[in-house]
């Protein structure tokens, strides 16, 4: 299994773990999971929030907005920093769409490794491409 396949397997397992532990509302999980650009990212949750990382290794990246419950059926999209609020939305589908609209440029499948390893990989890639 190559590194892309291992990363994809870790991402798939993380999505399933979040679905199975029920800490994230089912409608939010489904809305995010059915969106291909989010499904390729590494998901993680905390306090009912759904976060997305560009790498599989923890401490994960914090450069993608996240979704938190706002009321019994509505959501708030925030981030990428905890102090930033993107806005409230009425549905999980709207929340997923709002996150997709704010993905970093070139955001692709999750990288196998930590944020530091991802940064080093991206720096090597930029040097390889040249000015």
């Amino acid at each position: 299994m190559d590194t892309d396949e291992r990363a994809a397997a870790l991402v798939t397992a993380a999505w399933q773990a979040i679905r199975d532990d029920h800490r994230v509302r089912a409608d939010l999980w489904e809305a995010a999971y059915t969106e291909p650009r989010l499904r390729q990212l590494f998901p993680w949750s905390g306090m009912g929030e759904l976060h997305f990382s560009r790498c599989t290794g923890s401490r994960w990246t914090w450069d993608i907005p996240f979704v938190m419950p706002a009321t019994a059926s509505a959501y708030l999209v925030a981030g990428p920093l905890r102090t930033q609020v993107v806005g409230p939305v009425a549905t999980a589908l709207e929340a997923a769409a709002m996150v997709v609209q704010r993905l970093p440029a070139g955001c692709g499948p999750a990288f196998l490794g930590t944020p530091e390893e991802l940064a080093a990989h991206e720096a090597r890639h930029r040097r390889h491409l040249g000015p």
Side-chain angles (χ1 to χ4, degrees), residues 68-121:
M68 65 178 80
T71 65
S73 61
Y75 293 93
L76 181 68
V77 178
L81 301 175
R82 283 225 173 260
T83 57
Q84 298 171 307
V85 174
V86 177
V89 292
T91 69
L93 287 173
E94 291 173 293
M98 193 176 277
V99 172
V100 168
Q101 291 170 353
R102 288 161 178 79
L103 288 174
C107 188
F111 175 83
L112 181 66
T114 66
E116 294 80 16
E117 291 166 331
L118 172 60
H121 170 79

Side-chain angles (χ1 to χ4, degrees), residues 7 11 14 39 43 49 53 61-62 65 116-117 120 124:
V11 166
R39 187 175 53 244
E49 301 169 348
S53 177
T61 59
W62 274 87
E116 294 80 16
E117 291 166 331
R124 283 191 305 274

